[in-house]
Amino acid sequence: MRWRTVARARDAVHRPNMPMLTPRDIQVFVNPNHGTPGIVVLPAAGFRRAKAEITAWDGFAVTPLRHLPSWAADAGVATILMKDEATRFGLGSFKSLGGAYAVVNLVRDAQARSAGPITVTCATDGNHGRSVAWGARRFGCRCVIFVHEQVAQWRIDAIAAFGADIQRVPGTYDDAVRTCSEQASANGWSIASDTSWPGYTEVPRAIMQGYRIMADEAADQWEGPPPTHVFVQGGVGGAAAAVSAHLRARFTPVPKLIVVEPDRAACLLASARAGALTAIPGDLDTVMAGLACGEPSLLAWQELERAAVAFMSIPDESAVETVRLLMNQNIFAGESGVAGLSGCILAARNMHTRALLGLTKDSRILVFNTEHSAF
Ligand SMILES: Cc1ncc(COP(=O)(O)O)c(C=O)c1O
C-alpha cells in the first residue's frame, strides 16, 4: 500500500562528508485521513488566557530558535531550525508551560468556590510531574506525584526537591495514570493530568494551551517563507497536537506535521493505522522516557487524527546518537527531546520516505527540542 512503509538502511540516499546519524530502520505511515480537523480542540481564547498568565510569571523568557546547518546538509534539505526548550523556566523541559498552568487554574477554581486548600496530583514520566510540583510550590498547595517503576531516580529527586510527596507504582506510565485517578477520587485530590480521556478534558486542554507558547514563539522567531514540515515527538500526543493547532493558526500554507514516536511506544502510530484511538500493550521500555506512553490522549487524538500528514517511529539507538551529536555542538537535549529531529533526518535520508513525505532540497523544517539532557 502506498502509505505504508518500513524504511531500511540500505535505501539511504545522502552521504554528506560530515559523519552524522547512522541510518536505521524506521516506520512511516502516511495518514489516509489527513485533512482539517473537524473538532476545535484548542479554542483561541484559551490560548490567549494561557499566554497572558504564563508569560507574566517570574523567570519567564523566550527560548532560542536555533539553526542546525550541518543537520540540514545531512538531511539534504534547505534548513532545519530547532526550537530549544531545554532552558524553559530552568526546569529542563517545555512541560513547565503546562503542568504549572494547570495547578494555578485548579488553585484559583478552589478559591472561587471557597473550597479551602487543595492537593494536586498527577502521574508522570518525570517532566510533567516536575512542572506540577513546581507549580504547587509556587501557587501554594499540597502535591502528590505518581511515578512508575521505570522513572529514573534523578527525575524523581527533581520532583521531590519541590516538596512533592512521591508515590511509586508498579508497571507503566498508563498504570500510574490509573492509580493516580483512583487515589484522587478516594482522597478528594485535584488531578492535573497531561493526558485526557472521556469525561476528563478541561485540565489537559489548558495544559495543551500552555504548550502552544513554544509554537507561538517559534512562529514569531521564524523568518522568511513558512516551514514546509514540522517533525514533533509524541508521548500521549498533547505536545504534538498543541504544536499542530498553533501552527495551523499561524502559517499559510500549513506545514506538514509528522509525529515521531519511539518504536517501543508508538501508540499514535498504532492509532493512525487502526483509524481510531488505540492503546498498545507491552512494557513501553524506551530510553525516550517522556514518550513511553501506550495510550493517546483523547484531545490530542482529535487534533492529530486529521492534522498529521504522517506518523513515524524510530529506534532508541537513533535518539541516543542524536543526543550525542548535538552535545558535540554544545546543544544539550535529552532522548525524548530529540525524537523529532532524529526522525526528520532518518526520513529525509531514505529515498522512499523522503518522497512519501514530500521532502526536497528546498524543504524548511521546524523541530522542537523538548528537554534538556540528563548531564
Ligand atoms: C521531553 C518530552 N518531550 C515530549 C513529550 C511528549 O508530550 P506528550 O505526552 O504531550 O505527547 C514529553 C512528555 O512527557 C516529554 O517529557
Side-chain angles (χ1 to χ4, degrees):
M1 261 188 264
R2 198 188 72 78
W3 58 81
R4 192 172 288 195
T5 181
V6 176
R8 298 276 164 201
R10 64 176 171 275
D11 300 329
V13 269
H14 292 272
R15 291 194 171 72
N17 298 330
M18 194 171 186
M20 292 291 276
L21 264 194
T22 310
R24 296 186 200 273
D25 286 1
I26 54 174
Q27 297 211 19
V28 175
F29 181 77
V30 176
N31 184 8
N33 296 322
H34 173 243
T36 305
I39 299 173
V40 179
V41 171
L42 298 177
F47 171 64
R48 285 195 294 274
R49 277 196 298 277
K51 185 175 175 182
E53 170 69 30
I54 295 165
T55 56
W57 293 347
D58 279 354
F60 177 82
V62 171
T63 57
L65 182 68
R66 301 183 189 283
H67 275 275
L68 300 180
S70 57
W71 295 79
D74 186 38
V77 298
T79 50
I80 299 180
L81 277 87
M82 185 175 75
K83 179 70 173 161
D84 190 352
E85 290 295 302
T87 54
R88 185 71 78 179
F89 280 116
L91 286 188
S93 88
F94 79 106
K95 288 261 160 180
S96 48
L97 297 170
Y101 180 54
V103 173
V104 72
N105 287 340
L106 290 167
V107 168
R108 290 201 185 129
D109 279 359
Q111 284 165 351
R113 289 183 280 109
S114 306
I118 60 165
T119 297
V120 293
T121 187
C122 72
T124 188
D125 286 320
N127 290 325
H128 176 62
R130 194 164 169 183
S131 173
V132 168
W134 176 69
R137 167 157 290 182
R138 188 166 197 139
F139 301 108
C141 60
R142 194 174 159 249
C143 179
V144 182
I145 303 289
F146 290 83
V147 293
H148 59 89
E149 59 199 23
Q150 284 155 18
V151 177
Q153 189 59 44
W154 70 269
R155 290 186 184 273
I156 296 174
D157 294 343
I159 298 168
F162 293 113
D165 174 0
I166 308 285
Q167 303 278 325
R168 290 165 201 263
V169 176
T172 64
Y173 170 76
D174 304 297
D175 296 314
V177 170
R178 274 183 284 276
T179 307
C180 170
S181 168
E182 286 157 16
Q183 289 295 313
S185 348
N187 295 295
W189 299 337
S190 305
I191 302 179
S193 171
D194 59 351
T195 193
S196 58
W197 51 85
Y200 180 80
T201 50
E202 290 325 295
V203 171
R205 194 189 309 278
I207 289 174
M208 290 163 69
Q209 294 284 22
Y211 294 164
R212 284 175 71 172
I213 289 175
M214 65 177 172
D216 193 51
E217 288 176 4
D220 289 342
Q221 291 163 314
W222 190 272
E223 290 172 359
T228 55
H229 296 74
V230 182
F231 287 77
V232 59
Q233 43 275 22
V236 298
V243 165
S244 170
H246 203 75
L247 297 185
R248 288 196 298 109
R250 287 291 306 260
F251 287 124
T252 311
V254 176
K256 291 183 177 178
L257 183 94
I258 297 106
V259 179
V260 184
E261 294 174 280
D263 56 10
R264 296 177 186 172
C267 62
L268 295 161
L269 174 63
S271 299
R273 283 194 194 285
L277 191 150
T278 302
I280 55 165
D283 64 7
L284 313 169
D285 187 11
T286 165
V287 290
M288 292 171 257
L291 312 183
C293 309
E295 228 167 292
S297 164
L298 174 64
L299 293 178
W301 180 245
Q302 287 172 340
E303 166 71 22
L304 296 174
E305 66 177 331
R306 302 292 312 277
V309 161
F311 296 81
M312 65 178 290
S313 68
I314 62 165
D316 276 10
E317 293 78 4
S318 191
V320 170
E321 197 180 5
T322 305
V323 165
R324 187 172 52 73
L325 291 167
L326 283 172
M327 201 174 295
N328 293 343
Q329 301 177 336
N330 288 322
I331 299 174
F332 298 97
E335 287 81 5
S336 304
V338 301
L341 174 62
S342 211
C344 160
I345 304 295
L346 294 177
R349 289 176 60 185
N350 177 287
M351 60 190 175
H352 186 50
T353 51
R354 184 176 178 87
L356 273 183
L357 300 180
L359 289 161
T360 71
K361 64 177 181 21
D362 299 320
S363 296
R364 301 175 297 276
I365 297 173
L366 173 62
V367 298
F368 292 81
N369 167 27
T370 46
E371 72 175 351
H372 200 282
S373 67
F375 317 106

